[in-house]
């Protein structure tokens, strides 16, 4: 379940980075925010740092992790955890590739997993610049301006609502945070920082997207 929540978080982060123009779904969206999304869309590769905080309400505990991420239009999304335990997870249009600190890989193909297939379809649509998949799966509410904006996404699918009740996103010229709220009151917050936009991935980075 945690893996799927992480997939949703990164997929939604990619939604703006891919320039699928979520804001275009609202007639009242400020023109400045449309401009921000268009500028972000120019970057085929986005890299940065992340901090994750998982809040478990029942035992009043926080679990923290951190690392780096990559969003690459041609390859997918890479979540490279450095602390507390090193590992990486690459989300592509065909499946998930996980790599341990020792370099051992495990692959989960999209086929046969209904929830992932839904997310995979969403990712594929975003890679093609198609925002229809988002409005099909979420009710979206955007507020703010280009200097400071926030968005609330509510899943339409009942199976998704079973573990994600609401998703909050906030940012300025880039995405600063994504919060996944659960029906239980638990939540997971992802904070993104230190963005960079290289022209190409290194051979080592490309290898993490491959199941070979």
């Amino acid at each position: 379940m945690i893996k799927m929540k992480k997939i949703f978080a990164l997929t939604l982060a990619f939604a703006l980075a891919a320039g699928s123009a979520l804001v275009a779904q609202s007639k009242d969206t400020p023109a400045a925010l449309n401009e921000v999304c268009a500028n972000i869309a120019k970057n085929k590769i986005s890299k940065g740092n992340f901090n994750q905080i998982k809040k478990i309400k029942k035992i009043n505990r926080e679990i923290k992790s951190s690392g780096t991420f990559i969003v690459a239009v041609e390859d997918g999304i890479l979540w490279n955890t450095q602390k507390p335990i090193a590992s990486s997870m690459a989300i592509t249009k065909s499946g998930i590739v996980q790599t341990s600190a020792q370099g051992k890989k495990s692959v989960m193909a999209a086929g046969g997993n209904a929830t992932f297939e839904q997310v995979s379809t969403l990712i594929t649509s975003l890679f093609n610049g198609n925002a229809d998949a988002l409005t099909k799966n979420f009710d979206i509410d955007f507020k703010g301006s280009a200097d400071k904006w926030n968005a609330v996404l509510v899943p339409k699918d009942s199976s998704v609502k079973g573990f994600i009740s609401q998703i909050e996103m906030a940012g300025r010229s880039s995405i600063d945070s994504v919060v996944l709220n659960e029906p239980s009151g638990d939540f997971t917050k992802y904070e993104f920082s230190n963005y960079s936009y290289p022209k190409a991935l290194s051979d080592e980075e490309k290898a993490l997207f491959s199941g070979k």
Side-chain angles (χ1 to χ4, degrees):
M1 195 66 70
I2 293 176
K3 293 178 183 178
M4 203 53 62
K5 292 172 187 174
K6 189 177 291 185
I7 292 169
F8 268 100
L10 291 172
T11 301
L12 291 167
F14 178 67
L16 289 181
S20 55
L22 297 180
V23 293
Q25 302 307 316
S26 172
K27 296 180 180 179
D28 299 324
T29 298
L33 189 51
N34 280 310
E35 184 178 352
V36 168
C37 290
N39 288 335
I40 295 176
K42 296 176 183 178
N43 303 307
K44 301 301 181 183
I45 300 175
S46 298
K47 299 173 65 175
N49 297 339
F50 77 84
N51 285 296
Q52 174 187 319
I53 299 175
K54 167 68 176 178
K55 176 70 173 183
I56 304 175
K57 182 179 179 181
K58 187 175 182 179
I59 58 175
N60 193 28
R61 182 185 177 188
E62 289 187 351
I63 301 174
K64 299 180 179 180
S65 62
S66 61
T68 62
F69 70 89
I70 298 174
V71 177
V73 172
E74 295 182 359
D75 299 277
I77 304 167
L78 180 67
W79 190 257
N80 190 20
T81 302
Q82 297 172 337
K83 295 179 180 180
I85 300 175
S87 65
S88 73
M89 179 175 70
I91 306 164
T92 71
K93 289 173 281 187
S94 59
I96 299 173
V97 179
Q98 291 186 290
T99 306
S100 69
Q102 294 73 36
K104 184 178 180 180
K105 292 187 177 184
S106 61
V107 181
M108 183 180 79
N113 186 309
T115 305
F116 180 77
E117 286 180 346
Q118 181 182 8
V119 178
S120 181
T121 299
L122 178 57
I123 293 174
T124 302
S125 298
L126 294 173
F127 277 138
N128 294 327
N130 178 10
D132 290 343
L134 282 169
T135 55
K136 179 181 178 181
N137 291 283
F138 300 96
D139 290 318
I140 306 170
D141 179 29
F142 273 83
K143 295 180 181 178
S145 65
D147 295 327
K148 187 177 181 180
W149 57 266
N150 61 78
V152 176
L153 297 88
V154 178
K156 296 180 179 179
D157 187 274
S158 59
S159 61
V160 176
K161 284 183 178 180
F163 61 93
I164 299 179
S165 58
Q166 180 175 282
I167 302 164
E168 302 169 38
M169 300 178 69
R172 294 178 174 78
S173 60
S174 58
I175 301 166
D176 293 333
S177 65
V178 176
V179 181
L180 303 182
N181 296 290
E182 303 175 34
S184 63
D186 295 351
F187 68 84
T188 305
K189 182 176 183 178
Y190 302 87
E191 296 179 330
F192 305 100
S193 61
N194 298 327
Y195 280 88
S196 63
Y197 309 101
K199 297 299 182 181
L201 298 178
S202 67
D203 290 340
E204 182 180 357
E205 290 169 339
K206 287 183 178 179
L208 292 173
F209 284 99
S210 173
K212 298 179 179 180

